[in-house]
Amino acid sequence: MGKAAYMKLKGSFHFRQRLLLATLSTKAILIEDIRSDETSPGLRSHEVSLLRLIEKISDDCSVEINETGTKLRYKPGVLVGGKYLVHDCGLSRSIGYFLEPLILLGLFGKKALSITLKGITNDSKDPSVDTFRTTTLHMLKRFGVSLEGLELKIVNRGAPPLGGGEIILGVPIVPTGLTAAHWVDEGMVKSIRGVTFSTRVSPQIGSRMIYAARGIFNRFIPDVHIFTDHRSGPSGGRSPGYGVSLVAETTTGCLISTDIAISHPKPEDMDTMEDSYEKPEMLPPEDVGVQVASILLGEIEQGGVVDSTHQGLVFLLCALCPPDVSKVRVGKLTPYGIETLRNIRDFLDVKFVIKPDPTTNTVILKCVGCGMKNLSRKVA
Amino acid sequence: MAMDQEQSHKSHRSHKAGASAKKKNKKGNSEEDGKNKNPKAFAFNSAVKAKRLQSRAAEKEQRRLHVPTIDRSTGEQPPFVVVVQGPPKVGKSLLIKCLVKHYTKHNLSEVRGPITVVSGKSRRVQFIECPNDINGMIDAAKIADLALMLVDGSYGFEMETFEFLNVLQNHGFPKVMGVLTHIDKFKDVKKLRKTKQRLKHRFWTEIRDGAKLFYLSGLIHGKYPKRETHNLARFISVMKTQQLSWRSSHPYILVDRFEDVTPPERVHANMKCDRNITLYGYLRGSNMKRGTKVHITGVGDFALTGVASLADPCPLPSSGKKKGLRDKEKLFYAPMSGLGELLYDKDAVYVNINDHLVQFSKVDEETGSSGKGKPNDVGVTLVKTLQQTKYSIDEKLEQSFINLFSRKKPPASDNGHAKGNVPDGQHHDGHSGGHVSILEEDANHSGDEVSEDDEAGKNNLTGDSDSDGFDEGNDYATDDDLEDDEQMNPFSHDLNEEVELHNGRLRRKVTSSSFGNNDHLQDSGDDLQEFDDDSDNDDVHDDKLHSSSESSEGDDDLNSGDEADHSSKWKESLLARAMSRKNGNLMQLVYGPSLPVLSTTSRDADDSSENDEEFFMPKGERTKNLGDNLSGDNLNAEDSSKFTNTHLKDWSDEDLIKSVRDRFVTGDWSKAAQRGEGEGMGDDGTVFGDFEDLETGEVFKDIPGDNNNGGSKNIIKGNDPEMEERRLKKLALRAKFDAQANGSDLSDEEDHNKKKFHQNQAGEAGGYFDKLKTEIELRKQMNISELADLDDATRIEVEGFKIGTYMRLEIHDVPFEMVEHFDPCHPIIVGGVGLGEDNVGYMQVRFKRHRWHRKILKTRDPIIISVGWRRYQTVPVYTIEDRNGRYRMLKYTPEHMFCLAMFWGPLVPPQTGVLALQTLNNQAGFRIAATGTVQEFNHETKIMKKIKLVGHPLKIFKKTALIKDMFTSDLEIAKFEGAAIRTVSGIRGQVKKAAKAELGDKPKQRWESGKEGVARCTFEDRILMSDIVFLRAWTHVEVPQFYNPVTTSLQPRDQTWKGMKTIAELRRKNNLPIPHNRDSDYKAIERRPRKFNPLVIPARLQAALPFESKPKNKPPRKRPLLENRRAVVMEPHERKVHALVQNLREIKSEKTRKLKLKEQEKRKAYEAEKLKDEQLSKKRQREERRERYRLQDKKRRKS
């Protein structure tokens, strides 16, 4: 004690989870060799932005980055939360990148968190804010988080590359801790909901996507409602873009979601492409509709109580439960999920029992939670 | 199950005669009579009263309830800790001795360390004697399940008792029982009874009304009477443990065995080198994982180098249907007191033989082979050889030419301890008996040992033990005859098994040729083959201790050691083996085949690099497993949770549609239902038997057609544990069922009904509280059933070591003082440190000075805090929260009131009890200075205190003034710009800016001569030079970042620990007076009337004034004015009126005069009467008194 013992890690790999788990388990970490071999070494701007965000919601955490940005020393502080916070997420990654760790950090804070995040709302790399609103927030219910105060409001939408979106996220704190979940029954898909977005493009694009997607879903289920959210003016951000986020709800209340967003690529991505200086064509909305429907059907086919995007989050939630057995069923383990499991083992010392269920081609995971409590909360 | 035929029992026959019959009769009669006489007397007459009584009853009922907590312990419970506490010379040790004698029929010579005793068929008790110093008391209080508080009845309560009670109250209040001793000192029976009564009531006020106070009357042959000991034992045996929140959330171990396992050569080289120790004890509190950090009370925080579960040294008797315990099962285990015949270590068993039973060692040396009965005894020879060893292992290694190993280890480099040479027992002082360490050579059995199936998971792969074995092997290899002897030695085989079963030892691998293919190496005809099997371990458990020769235990040799010795070679092979074995295992894929040791600390730098590599090993793995999207530089791969499947299927394809058709509600529901159930079936086929809902009494029938029925029948036939398991599963299944009924909104009518039924039941039984309780019960059952199907190794991985296992903890780099000053009489507690509890920060504690502590506590005076497992000295700042949420600093703790204490120290979760002491020495009065609970922790404090800056005017302009002495620098002024100030006379103002020499000013002013800190201020009026100006503000108070662990285990126990001194102590020591500010003295304020000078108007001004405003100097008059001199003459009418009024007045005054006279007379009469009465009564009283005194005197004379 006294002098902090740093946990040594390497590479920028799974930066978010490392920061998240280090903060929750209050372990100091030292990350070395962050893109040290690349032409542009060091932390990316979104990673720095995430560090800033964590600094904003916690007290007395210390972050040291060396000159080249290839080495990071992070010592977590006490999570505080608070109201009326504003954070600019930058334009290199979308808000979804920040939301995933933020929602967990918010749960274990001293006060409820209410924060305005600015940046890109829909992106192809990260889950969109729509998916977050419709699916991720509802997942927390399973782990004993009350839905009161848990909200996400999309003020402005912003597509890459210029962004301009703005959301307001409210996360309540958990009074003591989560509750272990027993979540294996996936049920049958009873309805499909969704929302399309379109910014700075023709308002018809939304309905064209819906039309295409419905065409596929009609063969499976009649209960399909996809809403359109067309934004123009300042609430539409600064770049054109469109996309869909779909959620399939099952009879047992599981939500399986997928999303897709189409926009002009970012300048740095364009550099990697062959120097085609004119903007490349965006995927036509019909194709987008078909694609997103196929992805969703793929997810449904895989089975599991959550979709592949949310696997990591579910594992994290299970591991943060009190020392009771949590049990979840997922489809195929994703690389992200696997890495999450490894990180959980390293930081929280929680191992999952992973058993394939051959009859349904799913995987059942069981774990005994690490007994995480909300320690920073003040007791009266 | 078929219990339908009611067995007719003999009915109870009440006494018809004798004392009890009479008592019962009387009681019944009187009640009946009362009821018969006046049946209305016990009914309510008033509705209001009825309601009030009802609400009171309800309130009492509610107050009784506590929030139910989940008890996560399963299986065999650890021994029940009974702490025997009391002031010195009260008979603590004697009580323990008597109780041990009662349980085991053994006489205990002295009580040192915990003594574990099997007290019943399903119960063990561990006695500790609480040491007499406050540190020991605090430690003992933290682990006590039952505190026996001994009180000297002839003396009364002593401070220790109350101190201990207060410690208990703050660290979770366990069960407490008072024991009164030394009652035989009373000669007078009445006095004895009175004293008992008094002490009992005092005890009750401290704990609760009706708390048990036990009386031990006198000694018989130096022992407490047998009957009373027996009764006390019965009281102990029915005590139940309580769930205490701190303990149930932290694993802890009361160490009952302590060994120093530092390599002797290291100690030899440097006596003060850091030691390696092993600690043994039962795991309590909660499950313990391998990576847990621990705190050893009085020493500090350590990482565990090795954790292993050992065979229970004091196991419960095998459950059979018999009354009481057989003599064989009356075990006891107290290695620190030198009791218990066998000691298990991970790779050895020590047989403890009393000194008077063993003689050969010395006899041999002196007389050679004397005519003892068996000259060729194996054990004797073995020990003799061991004793005759002349060379150290190193030397032997150098000499030895039989090299069994392909890779010779350089002898200088190993740090294994020379166990073959020196029995371990010599390191610790607690043993009276001699130790014989029986060690085993493994090489010749290597054929059968590699047969580990899943044991690799259990291992804490270590190198230290590796080198041990290596040494041993070599040692034995050098002399062959010894080896031969050993093969006959029954111990050796057992040990062999143990050692080898779980280890990835170098030696083994080299000798066994067919190492790579793992499964079929159990070929050798060794008679001990069966012990390999994990499944057999349970059976072995029971009959292990009383027959030492069979004491092989499969799982007690989980190895431990430091990572430094990870030799790559065996790891490689292990890795390869694991790879080859578990191809389909997802867990292996995810967590990797090798068990990574967390690269947590940056302490061992050379090590971590290797570990990091291992940690990031998955590189190659990942690319293999996870396909193409993660190729490239993995360390810096993109961080995205979104998983994009690159190849999309064409969902217009009919086959594909069919494949997912059943996933939709439009598809086949029965298939979906099967899918949902699939996992239950997959887990364990026997789950779905017929079962009965315990609550509703309904019987659920299994769906026939499966092969379950056979399975369930088998289980019914099986023995008790299986039955138990089955029952639990049923309960869990019910839980599942309930969850379904509540969770899904199925319109199924039956379900609906059932749901209603359950809700109704819950409502009837007591609503919310019972609901909570059932929820917790269901959660527990579910936990048990979910983990039941895992094998032991995975189970330890997943949930940690279970409560109640006997643990061996190896800890490296412990200060040598701990070993040197080890005292078995002081309990050593190893407590697990929870998540984030090893961090340091500020804590806010709700704090109250103990009302028995003599002095109030001063801010920034160091206090010793005991919280959680820790004890440390810190410097608190006391505060109180103002109405506006500001934390205001207090100089002293308030009287009879809670305040807040902020201090710096290792964090603990909120609501943990805190105890503060100011001194640890034994001579002090009541040592507990304050108590409290943690409210919050933080990394910053926001404590403010009032500050008053005082200044004086330097120069006054119209309404502006320059103020000096208030600030010391211009910078400070800048900070206070705009702050409100005030003069003593009440003129308000504001700080403007620092005064500066401006162009228009006169150059040679005093304040400009380089002096800073003069502020320009404006006021609402012109101030005077005599005014004092002050500024009231709040300033931040820093809490010192200081904490100092109280390391009482690292010093002789009789010395008091010395920490930081309080200011008062420092002053006393250095003979400094208390600083005295004379301005702060309270003096009577004397205010002289202020003399104002007459107003002087300058002549020029006077001249300019208008006449009206000019001062007029009039000379004094000699005669009064005419106005005052004139006479008044009345009119006739006026005169008449005046006369009339005068007359009326006259009449009135006459009347009142008369009235007054009358009153006076009356009063006089009354006074006289009263005097008379008084005299009379006085006289009577005197008479009475006289009579009374006479009687009293008479009485006294009589008696």
Side-chain angles (χ1 to χ4, degrees), chain B residues 108-148:
Chain B
L108 209 62
S109 56
E110 57 182 334
V111 180
R112 297 157 64 120
I115 297 165
T116 316
V117 171
V118 176
S119 71
K121 278 205 293 185
S122 58
R123 197 175 170 91
R124 289 167 295 183
V125 179
Q126 201 161 27
F127 292 103
I128 354 172
E129 185 180 334
C130 179
N132 280 322
D133 63 326
I134 190 95
N135 294 301
M137 274 158 63
I138 289 172
D139 284 351
K142 282 174 185 172
I143 47 150
D145 289 325
L146 166 69
L148 288 181

Side-chain angles (χ1 to χ4, degrees), chain A residues 317-342:
Chain A
L317 284 167
C318 285
L320 292 173
C321 281
D324 292 319
V325 178
S326 295
K327 192 172 176 186
V328 289
R329 181 203 291 267
V330 296
K332 220 163 97 187
L333 280 176
T334 59
Y336 183 79
I338 291 170
E339 277 310 316
T340 311
L341 291 176
R342 288 183 188 154

